């Protein structure tokens, strides 16, 4: 399915997630965040340059429920899965992959469309996989690169379980290192986030999600 068409039309009832709300959630769910995504990222690179990030996002069971219901028992690779994947990916693209990427304090641009993407099922969880391609390959040698993936509203918690969720291609393991920084917001900020119910949205200039966002640093020699 064409992603540009998917981005310009209404999406199905609960695939319009990750914008203001991530899916259809029960009214009893209070306190930010309301949905949870477990992330894995693998660097995509050649011998000299970083060309992209391959991301795997595993959604929690409640978040996944409607997507999996819409898919029913459809086989992997069927038109139903392709349609759902296009709708979900279009929503991610409308938020610039929910990812900030910097080098030497300057933003690194990426292409508007992923080089590949797919949606699948893992038990009771939906799994979105895609490759975020950089607009211009970044030389591996030189200043460190840093990227961070988060929902600005903190409606969705997007988290790496630990450093083992970050992967280097085998031929880069000896010359590159990945570091994961997990912030520890103070008690007042955590209390504020917990006070928000699902109808609330924090002020945009507060950057609530960014204050909880993990940061990944890549350095090569």
């Amino acid at each position: 399915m064409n992603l540009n068409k998917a981005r310009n039309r209404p999406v199905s009832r609960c695939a319009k997630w990750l914008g203001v709300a991530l899916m259809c959630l029960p009214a009893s769910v209070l306190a930010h965040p309301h949905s949870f995504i477990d992330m894995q990222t693998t660097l995509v690179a050649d011998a000299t340059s970083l060309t992209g990030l391959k991301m795997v996002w595993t959604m929690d069971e409640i978040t996944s429920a409607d997507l999996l219901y819409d898919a029913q028992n459809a086989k992997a690779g069927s038109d139903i899965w392709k349609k759902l994947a296009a709708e979900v990916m279009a929503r991610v693209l409308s938020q610039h992959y929910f990812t900030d990427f910097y080098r030497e304090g300057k933003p690194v641009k990426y292409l508007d469309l992923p080089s590949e993407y797919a949606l699948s099922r893992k038990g009771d969880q939906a799994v979105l996989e895609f490759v975020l391609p950089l607009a211009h390959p970044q030389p591996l040698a030189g200043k460190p690169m840093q990227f961070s993936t988060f929902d600005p509203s903190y409606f969705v918690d997007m988290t790496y379980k630990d450093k083992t969720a970050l992967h280097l291609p085998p031929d880069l393991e000896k010359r590159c290192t990945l570091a994961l920084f997990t912030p520890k917001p103070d008690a007042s900020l955590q209390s504020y986030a917990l006070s928000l119910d699902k109808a609330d949205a924090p002020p945009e200039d507060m950057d609530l999600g960014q204050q909880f966002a993990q940061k990944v640093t890549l350095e090569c020699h």
Side-chain angles (χ1 to χ4, degrees), residues 101-176:
F101 198 120
Y102 288 91
R103 191 171 206 177
E104 294 189 84
K106 299 177 181 179
V108 173
K109 296 181 179 180
Y110 27 79
L111 299 179
D112 290 339
L113 296 175
S115 54
E116 60 183 73
Y117 68 95
L119 187 69
S120 61
R121 179 198 303 267
K122 182 180 179 181
D124 293 329
Q125 295 176 279
V127 181
L128 176 67
E129 301 180 50
F130 62 91
V131 173
L132 183 164
L134 301 184
H136 306 286
Q138 291 292 306
L140 292 169
K143 296 293 184 180
M145 292 171 264
Q146 187 177 81
F147 59 91
S148 186
T149 301
F150 61 95
D151 172 18
S153 72
Y154 197 46
F155 195 97
V156 184
D157 181 280
M158 308 176 76
T159 308
Y160 296 107
K161 183 178 179 180
D162 53 38
K163 188 180 175 181
T164 62
L166 301 167
H167 310 283
L168 286 165
D171 56 348
L172 295 184
E173 290 178 352
K174 292 184 178 180
R175 59 176 297 203
C176 299

Side-chain angles (χ1 to χ4, degrees), residues 159-162 180-185 211-215:
T159 308
Y160 296 107
K161 183 178 179 180
D162 53 38
L180 176 65
F181 171 73
T182 301
K184 296 181 179 179
Q211 296 188 62
F212 286 87
Q214 295 171 310
K215 293 180 175 61

Side-chain angles (χ1 to χ4, degrees), residues 1-6 9 79 82-84 86-87 117:
M1 177 172 289
N2 186 296
L3 279 175
N4 287 316
K5 290 182 179 179
R9 69 166 192 210
D79 288 343
K82 290 178 181 178
K83 177 183 177 182
L84 287 172
E87 291 175 346
Y117 68 95

